[in-house]
Amino acid sequence: MNKPLLALLAGSIALSACHSSTPKNYNKEDTTASNATTTATDSTASGFTSLFDGKTTKGWHAYGKAAPGAAWKAEDGTLHLDASQKGDWQSKNGGDMVSDEEYTNFDLKLEWKISKAGNSGILFLVKEDTAKYKYSYFTGPECQVVDNKENEDGKLIKHRAGDLYDLISISKEVVKPAGEWNQVEIVCNNSKLDFTINGEHVLSTTLWDDNWKKLVAGSKFKEWPDFGTFKTGHIVLQDHGADVWYRNIEVKKL
């Protein structure tokens, strides 16, 4: 084959290969969707199970009830508490949102966004027995969710966003302000408890030992003798009477 013809064929093949490797409708949204799919697949492969499908409240119920409160709505890929109608210090037809399943050793990951001056919380190891415990916080420790700038709780030591509520403050200020998403990872494994917020490890403690008992005895939770004693329990998203959003909720049993 002569050299001019060989060169022409080589150029044609290269041009064809270049066009075939580029999607026809390539855009930023396509890339985002692809990344989201990859993340979901990776999570499943690594042992994480989604607790929120982004479309329904399946897998959750109101504390002490069979179904979720109507104020909790699955919308735009988020689990949103609509607190526009008040009911005492909580929302009307809301209530704490409780995972159907209980967990012992676990790795919990999720994202939260709080409204201006809002307050909520992520509780765990909650014993759901309304005959003995009126509210979930009577038994379950809490990772605080709050607007540090506008909510009165956000101005108190051990009550700020990310804190192990009323027990231990996080080691550094890493929480984003109201209206912005925060990533949280809570790992409870054989009594060791760790919080990681927005990629920063900010808290580590041991549950149920003598130091833990002293922490509880020096807190508001001393009023409830069973607080922080259960080694298996539910995950709870608190209704504290303010709009709050959660998304990308997933857990792995350890």
Side-chain angles (χ1 to χ4, degrees):
M1 186 178 291
N2 63 51
K3 290 183 179 179
L5 181 57
L6 181 62
L8 180 62
L9 286 174
S12 176
I13 291 169
L15 183 61
S16 175
C18 179
H19 280 292
S20 64
S21 64
T22 305
K24 291 181 179 179
N25 297 315
Y26 181 83
N27 55 43
K28 192 171 183 179
E29 287 70 27
D30 289 341
T31 303
T32 302
S34 175
N35 288 344
T37 302
T38 301
T39 300
T41 303
D42 289 347
S43 295
T44 302
S46 61
F48 281 89
T49 300
S50 176
L51 290 183
F52 174 54
D53 62 15
K55 300 176 182 178
T56 71
T57 55
K58 182 180 178 181
W60 298 85
H61 61 274
Y63 184 73
K65 298 180 180 179
W72 285 97
K73 301 174 181 179
E75 54 187 23
D76 301 324
T78 72
L79 189 56
H80 170 214
L81 174 64
D82 180 356
S84 56
Q85 297 185 53
K86 306 300 181 185
D88 195 14
W89 62 276
Q90 293 187 308
S91 305
K92 185 177 181 181
N93 297 321
D96 290 350
M97 193 69 129
V98 182
S99 65
D100 288 348
E101 194 167 348
E102 292 183 284
Y103 301 90
T104 304
N105 296 318
F106 61 86
D107 184 346
L108 173 67
K109 295 181 180 180
L110 70 162
E111 295 177 62
W112 63 263
K113 179 174 69 172
I114 193 69
S115 55
K116 183 178 179 180
N119 193 335
S120 181
I122 306 159
L123 288 78
F124 47 94
L125 300 176
V126 170
K127 180 69 172 178
E128 189 176 22
D129 181 351
T130 53
K132 294 179 67 176
Y133 314 114
K134 184 177 181 181
Y135 296 111
S136 62
Y137 64 82
F138 282 20
T139 59
E142 173 188 348
C143 178
Q144 171 74 313
V145 170
V146 72
D147 176 5
N148 283 340
K149 184 178 179 181
E150 300 291 341
N151 188 280
E152 58 183 14
D153 242 9
K155 297 173 174 55
L156 302 176
I157 296 174
K158 295 184 286 189
H159 286 207
R160 292 173 61 76
D163 289 351
L164 181 58
Y165 186 78
D166 210 50
L167 296 169
I168 303 174
S169 296
I170 56 175
S171 60
K172 60 180 76 172
E173 293 289 334
V174 295
V175 178
K176 298 176 183 178
E180 295 187 30
W181 287 103
N182 291 275
Q183 298 175 327
V184 179
E185 181 174 16
I186 299 172
V187 179
C188 180
N189 193 17
N190 295 321
S191 80
K192 189 171 185 294
L193 178 66
D194 290 277
F195 288 178
T196 299
I197 300 176
N198 294 327
E200 299 276 355
H201 182 257
V202 291
L203 185 146
S204 185
T205 193
T206 301
L207 302 172
W208 314 307
D209 63 3
D210 288 341
N211 182 63
W212 175 256
K213 293 174 183 176
K214 288 179 182 177
L215 285 173
V216 174
S219 74
K220 64 190 296 182
F221 301 113
K222 63 185 176 184
E223 299 179 37
W224 304 293
D226 292 338
F227 172 84
T229 62
F230 293 100
K231 297 183 179 180
T232 297
H234 298 273
I235 293 165
V236 171
L237 307 178
Q238 189 182 56
D239 173 358
H240 206 293
D243 279 72
V244 63
W245 295 260
Y246 293 96
R247 71 181 183 186
N248 296 331
I249 310 169
E250 56 183 12
V251 66
K252 177 169 68 173
K253 293 182 178 180
L254 302 176

